[in-house]
Amino acid sequence: MAKIQSPSGTRDMYPADLLKRRYIEKLWRDTSIRHGFEEIDGPTFETADLYAVKSGEGILSEVFQVYSGKDEAEVARIRGGANAPYALRPEFTPTLARMYAAKAGSLPKPTKWFWQQNCFRAEKQQRGRLREFGQWNCDILGGENDAESRARVDADVIACAIGAFVDAGLTATTLQVHVSDRSVVGEILRGIGVPDTRMGDAFSTLDRLPKLPPQAGEEACRAAGFDLQAFTAAAAFDGKAAMESASPLSMLRRDLASADLGGWVKIDLRIARGLAYYTGTVFEVLADGERAIAGGGRYDNLIELFGGPPTPAVGFGMGDVVLSLVLQDRGLLPEGDALMDALSRPSASYRPDVFVIPAGQSPEEQEAAAKAVRPLVAKLRRGVESEAYLSREGRKPWDADRYALASNGAPPLHARSSSKATKNIGKLLQDAAGQKAKLAVIVENADEVTIKDLRTNQQDATRTKIADLGRVVAERLGM
Amino acid sequence: MAKIQSPSGTRDMYPADLLKRRYIEKLWRDTSIRHGFEEIDGPTFETADLYAVKSGEGILSEVFQVYSGKDEAEVARIRGGANAPYALRPEFTPTLARMYAAKAGSLPKPTKWFWQQNCFRAEKQQRGRLREFGQWNCDILGGENDAESRARVDADVIACAIGAFVDAGLTATTLQVHVSDRSVVGEILRGIGVPDTRMGDAFSTLDRLPKLPPQAGEEACRAAGFDLQAFTAAAAFDGKAAMESASPLSMLRRDLASADLGGWVKIDLRIARGLAYYTGTVFEVLADGERAIAGGGRYDNLIELFGGPPTPAVGFGMGDVVLSLVLQDRGLLPEGDALMDALSRPSASYRPDVFVIPAGQSPEEQEAAAKAVRPLVAKLRRGVESEAYLSREGRKPWDADRYALASNGAPPLHARSSSKATKNIGKLLQDAAGQKAKLAVIVENADEVTIKDLRTNQQDATRTKIADLGRVVAERLGM
């Protein structure tokens, strides 16, 4: 008999292919856990309504529609011209919003969720795009909603995406996080004459620009009601202005710089993100010659749209197809022995390795300690690679000696800090114990910490230099 | 706005639920890897034809049908009365058969594959059955096809299923593997007057019997053309006869007993398995008051049906829903700290920990060594729990001291032996190195082995007792 083919745009994964996918998944899961995210999942297919709520009825012609072959009434309705009752998920965000809205009252504030499974889209296959593909999402929902808090949470989410790139061996010379703000872009478009009624059109035109040749791009902008050159000039001017003021973008850049991530980030107001639901910060991770590797942003109205309370929210998504191409092209996807060994490396600990708490004796020390917490957490999560390692030819992220070559080298850790407002050290230690942390790191001033082992309740008699902390913790935990 | 619900029979998994699913998945993956299986995956939806080839067109009214909302011609065909071109996979075996048939010539003999993802069925939700559920498959395809080899491979597959139960803390008092043989059952049915044309009907009636009240069962058998009492009497008689002769079932039971698994297995000719494609051994894992936890069998004609060469094949499937219920009911699903710690335990090594090779000086030693290989591999894969541990109240499989309480306790290992016919020790060591094994275990006689570290190429000067081997290997590998 004739051999039956797999559906076009889907993948048969034989053992060697599957190990590479597990490598990507391990990278994503370990990074998520170390950054304090908890994993969730939902159905592979949802009611078609769920997608229509977020994206309009038009979405149903972009997805795989699903119906039960057993339900005769359902089949009859479809033959009569109705859409199918279900759809294969084209993205996870509607499921996440539905799940958050259903339990908003009892969930932690903030809630940090990650997810990684397959998504589906009903389009033709092309480089970097399949009809079934793996996807990773990280989202932070709820909690404080002032501008400072939003910037901090935006920085947390972006730092997690960068954490995965660092752990995969990529650097800021290969790819950059282009950050924009939908409200700033909206102001610019309004300033050059785009009426509110055409704003959605203008955003999606900006989003398509990188895929168009220059002349076609200019024409598309004209058709959407604005002049591309005028936009570019205003974006450059406003981008500069936004950086000089106390704007959300400048706060975000400050927070990323304080976590040593400034080199990865580029303010770029040409980034618009096509999806209608973004409300503030938006970003895309770009590498030369490739589609966006990841993208995301703030969607502060979406949970309400799904019947939940008003909820600040920000997140990103990353696909396995483009990431695999980028890693493969740069020799960063291991094979054979190296791949098996990389997969056998210890996974991130579900329990926090460290929980960082601000302390300090004098008001000056207390202020310095409070300021040190978030950058320290971000650095511990990302790990510290030694200078000796970074300057070596042919280094690979799966080398066993990656963190062992210099005095301060350290593997990435699962690090957290409290989201509670209290400064009471006893209460913060309770929070650490409640979250099952192994070690509490009590920040004494800008340079020093005291370590308390929460498993034995023993506190060190001497302080540890912050610069050495990653290595000291890794040794103490036998990593 | 009104909250949108998830489709009935699907699951929203919040973090605590997801961790439990990861526990099951880790159990399945670690067990598979330790038993020498390699992971594969295929599309979530396949062409509807793929399922119709194996199960007939009737299957399409039992599955979720899928079509692209973007393809207008496709939509028009469906509205005109056609089935949708795709279906959500109700099981993985058709995909596996397609993938094996496509590359049969270049795959190892035998090929050992495992798979774990979700499947879908278009039926109403009930206890132990959802419309989307997790599934684990292990299959061995190709290789030798004599009766002795088939029995060995059947035993290998069944030992892997039992390995997962042991690692989950279940015992042979909780559940049993009921083993049957379709050809023996076919003979019995023929002997009590069922014609070949009604054989399929008779098998699926036997398969449904446990779900029917006694009287309804007797009526169903009459309707299928045979008398239940006559069948039961003949099955008891033939079962005994089969065990006394050199039948496939008696060889299989001998192989399982030699791996210390005899206590888990019960010959039970009432097991028929409904699916038409089974050709020989069939089995179901049953616990009191639950649906079958796992089931499988030999399907020697299926690969040909999918366009491949004649290929002996055997495998089993296990679902997450019933297994979770069984573990939960017996206090064997960890929660909280214990769950996080269980998930952070080291995963099975993708590289074989040990590769067992028969040697021996005298012909007697050589024969004893050759006989010792397979039972030893099976025991190393399953791990050795100490008597002290097994006799302790409230023991849990995630206890850290599970394998540490007695002189011969050992964690489960990734163990392999050669499928090559050669007795040349040099060639067998090459096979071990080619499969990236860490240690070669050279069996000298029925009681002793010599260990060679393939990473350093150092061979021990002294022998190790087989009874101590698991513990010695675990210490040497720092487990």
Side-chain angles (χ1 to χ4, degrees):
Chain A
M1 59 153 284
K3 291 187 184 179
I4 295 175
Q5 306 293 317
S6 58
S8 73
T10 66
R11 289 176 284 190
D12 285 345
M13 293 194 169
Y14 290 88
D17 313 313
L18 205 285
L19 288 186
K20 287 185 183 169
R21 189 174 78 176
R22 290 276 166 242
Y23 179 81
I24 301 279
E25 286 185 4
K26 179 170 162 57
L27 174 74
W28 287 349
R29 176 166 297 118
D30 283 349
T31 302
S32 307
I33 292 169
R34 287 175 187 133
H35 284 76
F37 291 83
E38 296 186 299
E39 192 171 6
I40 61 165
D41 196 14
T44 302
F45 62 91
E46 289 271 12
T47 57
D49 289 347
L50 188 80
Y51 302 115
V53 162
K54 173 162 163 274
S55 310
E57 287 284 333
I59 187 71
L60 299 178
S61 66
E62 307 291 326
V63 300
F64 283 103
Q65 300 198 24
V66 177
Y67 62 94
S68 162
K70 196 171 193 121
D71 186 333
E72 288 171 20
E74 208 166 285
V75 173
R77 276 193 296 277
I78 292 162
R79 298 214 166 124
N83 280 316
Y86 307 113
L88 288 181
R89 61 179 165 226
E91 53 160 337
F92 186 67
T93 305
T95 301
L96 172 134
R98 177 174 66 63
M99 287 176 64
Y100 187 90
K103 299 213 176 177
S106 61
L107 291 168
K109 292 186 185 357
T111 288
K112 296 178 70 171
W113 279 346
F114 80 96
W115 171 85
Q116 59 166 28
Q117 293 290 344
N118 285 0
C119 289
F120 309 84
R121 64 188 147 215
E123 61 178 42
K124 289 267 175 278
Q125 178 181 359
Q126 43 185 308
R127 178 175 159 99
R129 285 176 87 80
L130 292 170
R131 301 207 292 175
E132 175 169 8
F133 56 98
Q135 178 82 6
W136 174 39
N137 282 16
C138 288
D139 295 87
I140 303 182
L141 304 109
E144 299 299 317
N145 196 10
D146 57 291
E148 282 281 353
S149 298
R150 284 198 301 269
R152 275 205 302 272
V153 171
D154 291 352
D156 248 17
V157 159
I158 291 172
C160 180
I162 295 173
F165 298 133
V166 171
D167 211 33
L170 291 164
T171 65
T173 55
T174 299
L175 44 81
Q176 295 245 302
V177 186
H178 292 243
V179 181
S180 175
D181 186 314
R182 282 281 282 247
S183 60
V184 176
V185 178
E187 280 309 312
I188 294 171
L189 289 169
R190 223 167 271 126
I192 59 171
V194 176
D196 281 357
T197 50
R198 304 205 55 193
M199 205 52 87
D201 216 15
F203 274 114
S204 67
T205 305
L206 285 176
D207 191 50
R208 281 189 297 120
L209 270 190
K211 295 167 205 153
L212 300 175
Q215 210 186 326
E218 284 176 30
E219 279 164 25
C221 292
R222 256 197 305 282
F226 67 97
D227 178 69
L228 178 56
Q229 290 196 357
F231 174 80
T232 307
F237 181 81
D238 280 34
K240 221 173 148 193
M243 286 303 98
E244 282 159 4
S245 68
S247 71
L249 274 177
S250 69
M251 286 190 267
L252 171 57
R253 190 158 72 168
R254 176 203 62 200
D255 285 345
L256 287 165
S258 80
D260 287 351
L261 294 175
W264 288 81
V265 177
K266 193 171 170 174
I267 302 299
D268 179 357
L269 293 178
R270 292 168 308 175
I271 299 296
R273 302 292 289 162
L275 295 169
Y277 62 88
Y278 288 116
T279 52
T281 307
V282 286
F283 57 93
E284 283 183 3
V285 182
L286 301 173
D288 283 349
E290 290 292 348
R291 290 164 184 277
I293 298 172
R298 181 161 280 284
Y299 51 95
D300 289 344
N301 301 332
L302 195 69
I303 301 302
E304 264 182 292
L305 190 61
F306 282 85
T311 305
V314 62
F316 72 85
M318 190 184 299
D320 70 335
V321 184
V322 178
L323 178 62
S324 296
L325 289 171
V326 169
L327 293 178
Q328 190 92 57
D329 288 352
R330 285 157 185 82
L332 291 172
L333 261 190
E335 294 188 6
D337 298 17
L339 179 52
M340 286 196 280
D341 288 341
L343 287 169
S344 295
R345 285 195 307 176
S347 298
S349 166
Y350 281 89
R351 285 190 179 197
D353 296 308
V354 296
F355 195 97
V356 181
I357 288 170
Q361 308 265 319
S362 66
E364 294 74 27
E365 281 185 344
Q366 286 170 10
E367 198 190 324
K371 267 195 187 163
V373 169
R374 287 179 35 80
L376 178 56
V377 166
K379 286 172 209 174
L380 291 171
R381 286 171 175 170
R382 208 167 56 243
V384 179
E385 299 189 23
S386 72
E387 289 300 319
Y389 178 76
L390 290 173
S391 61
R392 200 165 52 147
E393 280 297 309
R395 65 201 170 78
K396 302 288 183 197
W398 52 91
D399 287 344
D401 59 357
R402 185 174 177 193
Y403 309 109
L405 287 179
S407 64
N408 64 345
L413 299 170
H414 180 173
R416 295 193 187 182
S417 58
S418 184
S419 58
K420 296 195 195 309
T422 182
K423 290 178 178 176
N424 180 310
I425 294 178
K427 286 190 179 159
L428 291 169
L429 283 168
Q430 276 175 14
D431 195 9
Q435 295 189 38
K436 314 291 180 197
K438 296 173 188 166
L439 305 178
V441 166
I442 300 159
V443 183
E444 306 288 358
N445 55 45
D447 302 315
E448 293 175 319
V449 301
T450 304
I451 298 173
K452 179 172 185 176
D453 193 321
L454 297 172
R455 300 165 303 178
T456 59
N457 237 9
Q458 295 287 311
Q459 186 159 330
D460 287 4
T462 58
R463 294 179 173 183
T464 299
K465 289 272 177 212
I466 281 187
D468 298 331
L469 181 61
R471 179 185 55 76
V472 169
V473 167
E475 275 169 19
R476 189 147 328 181
L477 297 179
M479 300 169 84
Chain B
M1 60 153 282
K3 292 190 183 179
I4 296 176
Q5 305 293 320
S6 58
S8 73
T10 67
R11 289 177 284 190
D12 285 343
M13 294 195 169
Y14 290 86
D17 314 312
L18 205 286
L19 288 185
K20 287 185 184 168
R21 189 173 77 176
R22 290 277 167 244
Y23 180 81
I24 301 280
E25 286 185 5
K26 180 170 160 59
L27 174 75
W28 287 349
R29 177 167 296 117
D30 285 350
T31 302
S32 309
I33 292 169
R34 287 175 187 134
H35 283 75
F37 291 83
E38 296 186 299
E39 192 171 6
I40 60 166
D41 195 14
T44 302
F45 62 91
E46 289 272 11
T47 56
D49 289 347
L50 188 79
Y51 302 115
V53 161
K54 173 163 164 275
S55 310
E57 287 285 331
I59 187 72
L60 300 179
S61 67
E62 307 291 325
V63 300
F64 283 104
Q65 300 198 24
V66 177
Y67 62 95
S68 162
K70 197 173 191 117
D71 186 333
E72 288 171 18
E74 208 166 285
V75 174
R77 274 193 297 276
I78 293 162
R79 297 214 165 121
N83 280 315
Y86 307 113
L88 288 180
R89 60 178 166 226
E91 54 160 336
F92 186 67
T93 305
T95 301
L96 172 134
R98 177 175 66 64
M99 287 175 64
Y100 187 90
K103 299 213 176 179
S106 61
L107 290 169
K109 290 187 187 358
T111 288
K112 296 178 71 171
W113 279 346
F114 80 96
W115 172 84
Q116 60 167 29
Q117 295 289 342
N118 285 1
C119 289
F120 308 85
R121 63 187 149 215
E123 61 178 41
K124 290 269 177 275
Q125 178 182 357
Q126 45 185 306
R127 179 175 158 99
R129 286 176 87 80
L130 292 172
R131 301 209 293 177
E132 175 169 10
F133 57 97
Q135 179 81 6
W136 173 40
N137 282 16
C138 288
D139 295 88
I140 303 182
L141 305 108
E144 299 300 317
N145 197 11
D146 57 291
E148 282 281 354
S149 299
R150 284 197 302 269
R152 273 204 304 271
V153 171
D154 291 351
D156 248 16
V157 158
I158 291 172
C160 180
I162 295 174
F165 298 132
V166 171
D167 211 31
L170 291 164
T171 65
T173 53
T174 299
L175 42 82
Q176 294 245 301
V177 186
H178 292 243
V179 181
S180 175
D181 186 314
R182 283 279 282 246
S183 60
V184 177
V185 178
E187 281 308 312
I188 293 171
L189 289 168
R190 222 166 274 125
I192 59 172
V194 176
D196 281 356
T197 50
R198 304 206 55 190
M199 205 52 86
D201 215 16
F203 273 114
S204 66
T205 304
L206 285 177
D207 191 49
R208 281 188 297 119
L209 270 190
K211 295 166 206 154
L212 300 175
Q215 207 186 329
E218 282 176 30
E219 279 163 24
C221 292
R222 256 196 305 283
F226 66 97
D227 179 69
L228 178 55
Q229 291 196 355
F231 175 79
T232 307
F237 182 81
D238 280 34
K240 221 173 148 196
M243 286 303 97
E244 282 160 2
S245 66
S247 71
L249 274 177
S250 69
M251 286 191 264
L252 171 57
R253 190 159 74 168
R254 176 204 60 200
D255 285 344
L256 287 165
S258 79
D260 286 350
L261 295 175
W264 289 80
V265 178
K266 192 170 169 174
I267 302 298
D268 180 358
L269 293 178
R270 292 168 308 171
I271 298 295
R273 303 290 290 159
L275 295 169
Y277 61 88
Y278 287 115
T279 52
T281 307
V282 287
F283 57 93
E284 283 182 4
V285 182
L286 302 173
D288 282 349
E290 289 292 348
R291 291 164 182 276
I293 299 172
R298 180 160 281 283
Y299 51 96
D300 289 343
N301 300 332
L302 195 69
I303 301 302
E304 265 183 292
L305 188 63
F306 282 85
T311 305
V314 62
F316 73 84
M318 188 185 300
D320 69 337
V321 184
V322 178
L323 178 62
S324 296
L325 289 172
V326 169
L327 293 178
Q328 190 92 57
D329 287 352
R330 284 156 186 82
L332 291 172
L333 260 190
E335 295 189 6
D337 298 18
L339 179 53
M340 285 196 279
D341 288 342
L343 288 169
S344 295
R345 286 196 307 178
S347 298
S349 166
Y350 281 89
R351 285 191 179 196
D353 296 309
V354 297
F355 195 98
V356 181
I357 289 170
Q361 308 264 317
S362 65
E364 293 74 28
E365 281 185 344
Q366 286 170 12
E367 200 191 323
K371 267 195 187 162
V373 169
R374 288 180 34 81
L376 177 56
V377 166
K379 287 173 208 172
L380 291 172
R381 286 171 174 169
R382 208 168 56 243
V384 179
E385 299 188 23
S386 72
E387 289 301 319
Y389 178 77
L390 289 173
S391 61
R392 200 163 52 145
E393 279 297 309
R395 64 201 170 78
K396 302 289 181 195
W398 51 90
D399 286 344
D401 59 355
R402 183 172 178 194
Y403 309 109
L405 287 179
S407 65
N408 65 344
L413 300 170
H414 180 171
R416 295 193 187 182
S417 60
S418 185
S419 58
K420 295 193 196 309
T422 182
K423 291 179 178 177
N424 180 308
I425 294 178
K427 285 188 181 161
L428 291 169
L429 283 168
Q430 275 175 16
D431 195 8
Q435 294 190 39
K436 314 292 182 195
K438 295 172 189 168
L439 304 178
V441 166
I442 301 159
V443 183
E444 307 287 359
N445 55 47
D447 302 314
E448 295 175 316
V449 301
T450 305
I451 298 174
K452 178 172 185 176
D453 193 322
L454 296 172
R455 301 165 302 176
T456 60
N457 237 11
Q458 296 286 312
Q459 187 159 330
D460 287 4
T462 58
R463 294 180 173 181
T464 299
K465 290 270 176 215
I466 281 186
D468 297 332
L469 182 60
R471 179 185 55 76
V472 170
V473 167
E475 275 169 20
R476 190 148 329 181
L477 297 179
M479 299 170 84

